Amino acid sequence: MKKYLLENKLEDITPLIENLSNEVKKYIPNDEIDLFSAALYEVIMNAIEHGNLNILYETKKEWLKKNIYHKKLKELLKTEKAKTTHVEIKLELPEEENKISITVKDQGLGFKPKQEAKKIYNDGFARESGRGIMMIKSYFDEVKFNKKGNAITLIKLIKE
């Protein structure tokens, strides 16, 4: 198992994902690397935005509607909370089992996945945000949350 700690710095996400993609590319087909990377990017961004910075779905939706989301995010990334929290990523590559497992954990309060999924479903697909979880579930074979709701484990089965 490999562990990575990511500060709440958006510019560090892409290099980390490139590193993780290089780690897994011998296990998944080349035409899936972009899907893997996009889904992982979504998970890490959610951990920073909704977890560490505690941006609620409704708040993000409002900021996007007013076209002030990026400005507000930049402000939050300069706060003490942003400077004192991080995202932890654990990567387990196939050994005995034919699966890749990635756990992404933030230092936020957590959330209730079923309640959030209901909000997303009620809003429909033509929405400003919240589609990431659907993308994640469509790529990974299994998606699990811890009880607190501040860690997600993504499992990709490896085909022989």
Side-chain angles (χ1 to χ4, degrees), residues 137-155:
K137 286 184 174 184
S138 71
Y139 178 70
F140 286 95
D141 297 299
E142 201 176 329
V143 177
K144 300 186 274 189
F145 296 91
N146 69 348
K147 191 173 184 173
K148 183 177 177 182
N150 72 330
I152 184 172
T153 299
L154 311 167
I155 297 185

Side-chain angles (χ1 to χ4, degrees), residues 53-93:
L53 300 179
N54 197 31
I55 301 171
L56 302 176
Y57 166 72
E58 290 80 7
T59 304
K60 182 176 180 181
K61 186 175 160 180
E62 180 185 323
W63 289 351
L64 285 166
K65 202 175 277 184
K66 293 179 178 177
N67 204 23
I68 58 171
Y69 170 74
H70 294 289
K71 178 183 174 227
K72 292 288 192 181
L73 180 60
K74 274 185 179 176
E75 290 170 7
L76 286 172
L77 287 168
K78 294 176 184 172
T79 64
E80 194 60 30
K81 184 173 191 139
K83 292 175 183 169
T84 59
T85 57
H86 62 269
V87 177
E88 180 181 296
I89 297 114
K90 292 180 188 173
L91 172 66
E92 292 181 56
L93 296 173

Side-chain angles (χ1 to χ4, degrees), residues 101-123:
S101 175
I102 301 169
T103 301
V104 177
K105 183 177 182 183
D106 60 60
Q107 295 183 292
L109 302 171
F111 78 113
K112 307 260 184 285
K114 287 181 181 161
Q115 288 177 352
E116 292 301 316
K118 193 179 275 187
K119 286 180 197 174
I120 291 166
Y121 179 78
N122 289 339
D123 276 359

Side-chain angles (χ1 to χ4, degrees), residues 23-41:
E23 292 280 341
V24 302
K25 71 180 177 186
K26 63 183 167 195
Y27 301 106
I28 59 178
N30 280 342
D31 62 342
E32 289 184 19
I33 287 292
D34 287 344
L35 292 171
F36 171 86
S37 298
L40 194 53
Y41 181 87

